[in-house]
Amino acid sequence: MTNKYMFFIANWKMFGDLGTLNTLNKVIAFSKKIKKKKFKLIYCPPTTLIYPLTKILKKTSIDVGAQNCHESKKYGAYTGEINSKMLRGVGAKYIILGHSENRKSGENDKLINLKISAATKSGLKVIFCIGETLNEKRKKVTKKILAKQINRGLSKIRNKKSILIAYEPVWAIGSGLIPEETELFETVNFIKSKVKGAKVLYGGSVSPKNINSLKDINNIDGFLIGGASQVSNNLIDIIKKTYN
Ligand code: PGA
């Protein structure tokens, strides 16, 4: 049981259209029933849905975030790209950066660092994803990898208060697997020792089934939820169970 202020971040990835937004009615009703500001819920839909979602969530406590951006703060000849200022302009308050799915398609620590810098300067709060692969876990180099991702990703970033760190082991994303409790507690502590005062979230296969064990890890400040967040009832269940 926790009474802690927690972040619940729904990462919709490449999922959803305008019609899907209607399914959020349940979540909106649920969030309105909660009297105290117990937690922060943030939806990160695909870019096409950011603006319409901000309209729908206008009178609620739920915020909207983006999933990635270009590193340039200025307009430019970058076909197909969108920058952090444009996202802030349509109402996004948060942005996921450094997600392993983007690292896999070529983003390196340097590029992620440039994106974090641009996003914080545009007034976005950053959900900075880090995590080791299965191979790195087996080689027992998790801490080394996380330290490298943190040092390079947050290099010269002054406004660390606008950063939330999401620890997402690559092998746990979409696999149904989660780290062992003691191991996860230790890793979150390690991340907190590297970035003083940082809020650290866990992500990777968070579901109504495993939330009861995850919520007992008391140094975790919230969850980044992929697949399970696409179904309103599952997300509500995750939040309810966290506080039960
Ligand atoms: P998952 O995704 O919950 O579907 O594992 C989490 C994420 O990739 O952010």
Side-chain angles (χ1 to χ4, degrees):
M1 154 89 172
T2 182
N3 266 322
K4 199 163 141 183
Y5 186 88
M6 301 275 270
F7 291 85
F8 296 88
I9 302 176
N11 175 12
W12 270 12
K13 311 192 180 187
M14 196 171 75
F15 164 81
D17 55 24
L18 284 173
T20 317
L21 297 182
N22 297 329
T23 65
L24 296 184
N25 288 342
K26 277 184 185 169
V27 180
I28 295 169
F30 167 73
S31 79
K32 284 187 175 160
K33 269 193 273 170
I34 312 288
K35 285 198 186 103
K36 279 189 203 155
K37 281 199 168 176
K38 243 183 173 179
F39 58 85
K40 178 49 86 189
L41 175 57
I42 302 149
Y43 268 94
C44 299
T47 312
T48 47
L49 298 180
I50 290 177
Y51 185 66
L53 188 53
T54 59
K55 297 280 151 208
I56 291 173
L57 299 178
K58 211 171 174 186
K59 286 186 182 137
T60 74
S61 58
I62 307 170
D63 283 332
V64 181
Q67 297 177 12
N68 205 352
C69 68
H70 191 270
E71 68 274 23
S72 171
K73 265 192 9 197
K74 294 193 198 124
Y75 289 151
Y78 305 109
T79 303
E81 297 287 350
I82 292 169
N83 74 14
S84 49
K85 231 172 156 177
M86 296 155 88
L87 293 166
R88 186 73 196 92
V90 290
K93 290 191 181 160
Y94 291 80
I95 186 163
I96 296 171
L97 290 172
H99 195 283
S100 66
E101 284 153 12
N102 298 323
R103 290 180 190 262
K104 228 181 279 167
S105 48
E107 278 193 7
N108 59 22
D109 293 318
K110 172 82 190 139
L111 180 60
I112 293 163
N113 175 249
L114 292 174
K115 292 185 177 194
I116 294 176
S117 172
T120 53
K121 285 180 189 149
S122 301
L124 291 169
K125 292 199 170 112
V126 173
I127 301 143
F128 171 41
C129 301
I130 56 172
E132 82 285 3
T133 62
L134 186 57
N135 200 17
E136 289 159 349
K137 178 180 160 62
R138 285 191 179 133
K139 283 193 197 147
K140 299 196 190 311
V141 291
T142 297
K143 286 185 182 162
K144 199 174 136 199
I145 295 297
L146 298 180
K148 192 174 85 181
Q149 291 174 339
I150 291 169
N151 292 341
R152 295 187 181 172
L154 297 183
S155 166
K156 297 192 190 127
I157 302 294
R158 290 215 193 95
N159 192 4
K160 293 223 176 54
K161 276 197 189 127
S162 11
I163 316 275
L164 296 166
I165 299 183
Y167 170 54
E168 295 208 304
V170 180
W171 52 270
I173 295 174
S175 64
L177 302 171
I178 57 168
E180 215 201 296
E181 280 174 48
T182 47
E183 200 178 18
L184 184 49
F185 178 82
E186 204 193 300
T187 308
V188 170
N189 260 356
F190 173 73
I191 295 167
K192 290 191 169 184
S193 75
K194 296 293 293 175
V195 191
K196 297 273 181 293
K199 299 272 181 215
V200 179
L201 322 183
Y202 168 75
S205 294
V206 176
S207 78
K209 282 192 189 133
N210 58 28
I211 192 66
N212 279 334
S213 55
L214 288 169
K215 73 164 188 211
D216 285 336
I217 305 172
N218 61 23
N219 57 356
I220 292 179
D221 301 298
F223 302 101
L224 180 51
I225 309 152
S229 74
Q230 297 169 1
V231 178
S232 293
N233 280 341
N234 286 343
L235 188 62
I236 292 170
D237 227 22
I238 289 172
I239 299 174
K240 277 188 179 163
K241 284 181 174 164
T242 301
Y243 289 101
N244 268 337

